[in-house]
């Protein structure tokens, strides 16, 4: 069963662009949603963490969750070359913490 | 800022050998996890651990895998008899509760030849 779907890209945008990254999921039990950033051959770095539906903003990053559509998004405003990385969505509904990851979207922001 | 650390960063082993991957979780965290990522594929859950017991394990975590918290700071993953398909990045993560954010270590790249 493909729990979490994420377009792997690659996505290439100019500096200053607004980037939209998305994931869909099938398990309605998922309640906690995360976005991680991963540089090549490094560990995932937590960017955003949200619970249930709604929006959360942190600086240039905004996470959105639409549980009715089983769809989550990460928006990056004023993108910078340093944002170039792979972005992973992850989610769980488990009381035991098991995370389900998307494949990751590879983003390149060129100057 | 507290962080999860892992050693070694890269381990090369021959098929059939045992390996132990080590992790030091964030000090006040109580829940510990191992994930792996085969090159080009998703990050996959292996096991969660709490109160010196396995809480949950995936279908990947078969009898050749084991985890242990040998002391108050380390958390280890042992692979008893490595196979070529065990080659992957192995990530340790920790959280305060199972509903909190999970913080990942930098990973150990395991290469089985």
């Amino acid at each position: 069963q493909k729990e979490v779907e994420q377009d792997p890209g690659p996505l290439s945008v100019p500096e200053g662009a607004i980037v939209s990254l998305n994931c869909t999921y099938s398990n309605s039990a998922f309640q906690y949603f995360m976005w991680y950033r991963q540089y090549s051959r490094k560990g995932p770095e937590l960017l955003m963490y949200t619970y249930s539906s709604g929006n959360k903003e942190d600086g240039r990053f905004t996470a959105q969750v639409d549980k009715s559509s089983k769809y989550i998004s990460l928006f990056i405003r004023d993108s910078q070359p340093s944002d170039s990385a792979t972005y992973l969505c992850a989610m769980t509904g488990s009381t035991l913490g098991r995370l389900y990851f998307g494949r990751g979207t590879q983003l390149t922001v060129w100057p | 800022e507290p962080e999860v650390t892992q050693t070694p960063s890269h381990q090369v082993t021959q098929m059939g050998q045992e390996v132990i991957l080590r992790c030091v979780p964030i000090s006040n965290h109580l829940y510990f996890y191992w994930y792996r990522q085969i090159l080009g594929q998703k990050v996959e859950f292996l096991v969660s651990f709490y109160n010196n017991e396995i809480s949950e394990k995936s279908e990947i975590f078969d009898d050749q895998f084991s985890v242990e918290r040998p002391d108050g700071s380390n958390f280890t993953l042992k692979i008893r008899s490595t196979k070529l398909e065990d080659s992957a990045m192995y990530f340790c993560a920790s959280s305060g509760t199972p509903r909190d954010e999970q913080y990942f270590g930098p990973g150990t790249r395991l290469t089985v030849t």
Side-chain angles (χ1 to χ4, degrees), chain A residues 74-91:
Chain A
L74 178 70
F75 297 96
I76 307 174
R77 287 184 301 282
D78 187 27
S79 56
Q80 302 294 309
S82 57
D83 295 328
S84 298
T86 297
Y87 289 80
L88 309 172
C89 63
M91 51 199 77

Side-chain angles (χ1 to χ4, degrees), chain A residues 6 22 24 27 53 61 69 72 78:
Chain A
Q6 183 177 10
N22 311 293
T24 60
N27 190 339
S53 285
F61 298 90
S69 301
I72 70 170
D78 187 27

Side-chain angles (χ1 to χ4, degrees), chain B residues 21-37:
Chain B
L21 311 182
R22 291 183 167 79
C23 167
V24 178
I26 293 172
S27 63
N28 62 346
H29 283 180
L30 300 176
Y31 291 80
F32 314 117
Y33 312 86
W34 284 101
Y35 293 83
R36 79 173 185 190
Q37 186 177 30

